[in-house]
Amino acid sequence: MIPQLSLPSMIGRRLLGGVLALSLLMLLVACSSAPPQAAKTDAVPPAPTVAPAAKAVATEAPKVVAPTTAPVGAKTASKTLTIGMVELLKSLDPPTDWAIPATWIHMNIFDCLVWRNRQTGAFEPWLATEWKNTDPTTWRFTLRKGVEFHNGEKFTADAVVWTYERILADKTMITYPQWTHIKQLKRIDDYTVDIITATPEPAMLSKMAGTGCGIQAPEYGKKAGPQGAATQPVGTGPFMFKEWVKDDHITLTANPKYWQGKPDIDTLIFRSLPETATRVGSLLTGNIDLAVGVPAEDWKRIKDNSSTTVQEFLTNRTMLLALRLGPSEPMPTWKGPTSDPLVRKAINLAIDRAAIIKLINGMGVPTMSRITPPTLGWSDKFFNQLGKYDPVEAKKLLAQSTYKGEPLTFHAAPAFLYEKEVAEAVAAMLKDIGLNIDFQFMDLTTFREKIYVPNKTAELYMDALGNSFFDPWITVKEFEPGQKQRSGWQNAEADKLILAAAQNMNPEERTKQYIRVQELINEDLPHIYLYLMKDAIGMSKRVKFEMGPDGFLWMGQAKVE
């Protein structure tokens, strides 16, 4: 155990926001609001305005083509904002890509029924103005009137029903498991919809404000099909799709009829700049306005530059090692070293979290759980803890195990700040106790497409998993019965607790259930948690933007001078 960090200084508004969010989660009725309504139109153009077909993405695997406009990042107008990203996305269709950068981009194009206040984290009306439980499993949502999709279609209950029924009809969508709590959707009238859940649903609002929640235009969606949804999206959000050049940039333009008012930014560009040095250099030279993932060693020169500054913040992303314990449907014949619990315990004892925190320049809080403050179920039993580091004991356990020196595959990719350095350090720690580590540090696209998305993870991989839901259900979803495609973990007590907590409307009882699940994870070790990530963005002083408690790059209210 290490000295307790000051939670107010670490978490700030995020802790207050989480408390408010947790309280509001259990409310049966939310407050209504009445922002300015968009102008109405009966015309429904068949598709959005996009770049010429030869230049825009138009296939499942679009090719990189030359931009059709001025060089990306050039200041073509005073109201252009360019963001340097580590990665972009593989699909513009929200339920088919839930990587963190993808959700950032999606949620600038789409709106959900419910969302979180960007600063407090509290639930607030969005495309729904209010909601209530008419019975324990029925949630009635009253919808906002006067909202239009980017192509002119009117937003009504039909759009809500079509969006979620589409997900529920397609088990291949990566967010499908998130929405299985829905049993039925009922259109009551144009601006009222009932969502009926299979059981009482304590995380209902959390799920409705999470990945894949963006409401899509039904008439356009039916005509355009999956290909149109993936490459030419139509939402109601603050920005409209213009152009996607795969692995290069995505360009959005302001929605002049946005129900909250036209954004201050006219053109929003997300650029793919995987190398940290390139992002920082581009920021300092003015080629981009905002850079994500800025390491501490670059802060001084960014701050010393007269036109740029740095925002540091605590994320909701937990860096972790994910282990495979047994076979699963994508890998039915897998038999690897980590199936032996003694090998897993040896790996856990080999991890020196104190050294890792030092390596990342203090840009993290050590943790032994993915459930962290202010999420329900967090405990100082796990959070801000280094855990036991004992390489001598690790070697003894390894000698007692069934391990005979066979290769142990360890996948990692540069998705987040310091991930390469941490992965290399972990690989060295595991080699030091006698494991034969086949360390495969991959480019991010290959890792996502070949390993992560198809659930073909071998013995060990490293990644940072977020929790923008601020509810524990998502942190254990992959361990739920029927969802164990990555780990193959079998534990009857954990199965029972996860299923029970998922429908327990009593927060005190639910907290106890999730604490016990965390104990079981630390016993069987399908995950070995490292630290809750801190992060930083570098930003031009001409940009007025403050990162919210969930770390979302939602630019609907950002401004540029």
Side-chain angles (χ1 to χ4, degrees):
M1 180 175 178
I2 64 174
Q4 293 294 305
L5 301 178
S6 170
L7 286 181
S9 64
M10 281 194 309
I11 300 174
R13 288 185 307 275
R14 193 164 169 256
L15 182 57
L16 174 61
V19 173
L20 291 172
L22 178 60
S23 299
L24 286 176
L25 178 64
M26 307 308 299
L27 289 178
L28 297 181
V29 182
C31 298
S32 62
S33 62
Q37 293 185 353
K40 298 182 179 181
T41 178
D42 294 323
V44 182
T49 301
V50 297
K55 301 294 185 181
V57 175
T59 65
E60 289 291 342
K63 298 180 179 179
V64 174
V65 298
T68 58
T69 61
V72 176
K75 300 299 181 293
T76 56
S78 62
K79 295 297 186 179
T80 295
L81 188 147
T82 303
I83 300 174
M85 305 277 284
V86 177
E87 61 175 318
L88 296 180
L89 42 61
K90 67 181 181 67
S91 173
L92 286 158
D93 187 5
T96 65
D97 190 353
W98 66 358
I100 290 171
T103 60
W104 290 346
I105 297 171
H106 292 156
M107 296 317 300
N108 280 284
I109 301 172
F110 296 92
D111 288 321
C112 302
L113 296 185
V114 181
W115 215 26
R116 292 186 180 275
N117 182 283
R118 302 271 51 80
Q119 298 308 320
T120 68
F123 291 113
E124 62 183 6
W126 216 244
L127 287 182
T129 58
E130 61 181 9
W131 52 87
K132 63 181 178 180
N133 281 118
T134 57
D135 63 54
T137 59
T138 301
W139 294 72
R140 174 158 292 181
F141 290 86
T142 301
L143 306 182
R144 192 174 301 282
K145 297 179 180 179
V147 177
E148 290 183 7
F149 287 96
H150 299 155
N151 66 343
E153 284 185 56
K154 294 180 180 180
F155 165 70
T156 67
D158 294 330
V160 177
V161 172
W162 183 81
T163 294
Y164 297 136
E165 284 186 344
R166 174 176 176 257
I167 299 173
L168 292 169
D170 188 351
K171 293 182 179 181
T172 67
M173 289 186 174
I174 195 167
T175 59
Y176 170 82
Q178 173 188 326
W179 297 98
T180 54
H181 65 288
I182 295 178
K183 180 180 179 180
Q184 186 181 4
L185 294 114
K186 286 186 177 181
R187 179 190 185 281
I188 305 304
D189 56 41
D190 277 355
Y191 296 101
T192 310
V193 62
D194 281 356
I195 299 181
I196 301 167
T197 60
T199 63
E201 186 54 61
M204 179 69 173
L205 298 183
S206 169
K207 294 180 179 182
M208 298 307 293
T211 49
C213 63
I215 304 299
Q216 300 177 265
E219 295 306 315
Y220 168 72
K222 292 171 187 175
K223 294 176 182 177
Q227 182 62 23
T231 60
Q232 296 183 345
V234 177
T236 63
F239 294 94
M240 304 184 296
F241 171 73
K242 181 179 180 181
E243 181 183 55
W244 177 19
V245 179
K246 190 174 186 293
D247 296 328
D248 188 272
H249 72 271
I250 290 173
T251 301
L252 310 179
T253 59
N255 176 5
K257 296 183 179 180
Y258 190 46
W259 58 272
Q260 295 190 71
K262 180 182 178 294
D264 182 71
I265 299 166
D266 295 319
T267 304
L268 178 62
I269 302 169
F270 294 90
R271 282 189 65 186
S272 176
L273 298 173
E275 297 296 328
T276 301
T278 304
R279 289 196 306 280
V280 173
S282 297
L283 176 68
L284 293 174
T285 58
N287 287 322
I288 63 173
D289 304 292
L290 189 153
V292 304
V294 175
E297 53 266 30
D298 287 317
W299 291 1
K300 185 179 186 303
R301 64 186 181 124
I302 293 174
K303 291 178 179 179
D304 286 348
N305 184 41
S306 62
S307 62
T308 55
T309 188
V310 172
Q311 269 191 37
E312 180 188 359
F313 56 97
L314 184 65
T315 74
N316 53 52
R317 303 191 295 267
T318 301
M319 189 67 73
L320 57 85
L321 302 176
L323 285 70
R324 180 171 282 278
L325 281 62
S328 63
E329 185 178 346
M331 301 182 72
T333 62
W334 179 88
K335 294 180 181 179
T338 49
S339 60
D340 186 335
L342 292 179
V343 174
R344 300 195 300 274
K345 290 177 181 178
I347 291 173
N348 191 35
L349 289 171
I351 303 301
D352 186 348
R353 289 181 181 83
I356 290 174
I357 298 299
K358 184 177 180 180
L359 174 68
I360 63 175
N361 295 305
M363 292 287 286
V365 181
T367 185
M368 297 172 65
S369 175
R370 192 180 159 196
I371 302 178
T372 58
T375 301
L376 179 144
W378 84 273
S379 169
D380 55 16
K381 178 179 181 179
F382 310 108
F383 183 68
N384 195 22
Q385 302 292 332
L386 288 171
K388 186 178 181 181
Y389 168 57
D390 191 340
V392 174
E393 179 65 19
K395 291 177 182 179
K396 291 180 181 179
L397 290 177
L398 210 56
Q400 298 168 14
S401 73
T402 58
Y403 182 67
K404 302 301 180 185
E406 59 269 35
L408 189 155
T409 302
F410 176 16
H411 288 123
F416 300 102
L417 193 63
Y418 296 115
E419 190 161 0
K420 185 175 190 292
E421 293 84 350
V422 173
E424 290 173 341
V426 168
M429 292 172 187
L430 299 186
K431 289 178 181 179
D432 284 347
I433 66 168
L435 287 167
N436 178 12
I437 299 297
D438 177 14
F439 181 54
Q440 298 183 23
F441 194 79
M442 316 171 75
D443 71 87
L444 191 53
T445 299
T446 301
F447 174 74
R448 295 280 188 232
E449 294 180 355
K450 303 296 184 183
I451 305 298
Y452 188 82
V453 172
N455 293 310
K456 292 188 176 181
T457 54
E459 287 79 30
L460 182 68
Y461 74 91
M462 192 175 87
D463 202 2
L465 300 180
N467 184 9
S468 59
F469 297 94
F470 289 101
D471 190 275
W473 75 271
I474 190 62
T475 67
V476 298
K477 183 64 179 177
E478 69 173 276
F479 303 133
E480 188 178 284
Q483 303 296 331
K484 302 178 181 184
Q485 300 302 311
R486 300 192 193 284
S487 67
W489 180 38
Q490 302 298 325
N491 185 301
E493 183 182 359
D495 290 350
K496 182 178 179 180
L497 285 166
I498 291 170
L499 292 176
Q503 54 185 284
N504 191 340
M505 301 298 284
N506 183 309
E508 289 83 14
E509 293 177 359
R510 197 167 176 243
T511 293
K512 293 177 182 178
Q513 291 167 329
Y514 281 117
I515 286 177
R516 179 55 183 156
V517 171
Q518 292 170 81
E519 292 173 344
L520 293 171
I521 290 173
N522 280 304
E523 290 173 12
D524 286 356
L525 300 171
H527 280 175
I528 295 175
Y529 302 99
L530 303 179
Y531 55 91
L532 182 67
M533 289 180 60
K534 293 181 182 179
D535 206 342
I537 55 173
M539 195 165 60
S540 167
K541 291 181 179 178
R542 66 188 285 268
V543 179
K544 304 302 178 186
F545 170 75
E546 190 170 357
M547 186 67 80
D550 55 7
F552 252 79
L553 284 176
W554 187 75
M555 311 309 290
Q557 294 175 346
K559 298 181 183 297
V560 290
E561 294 180 346

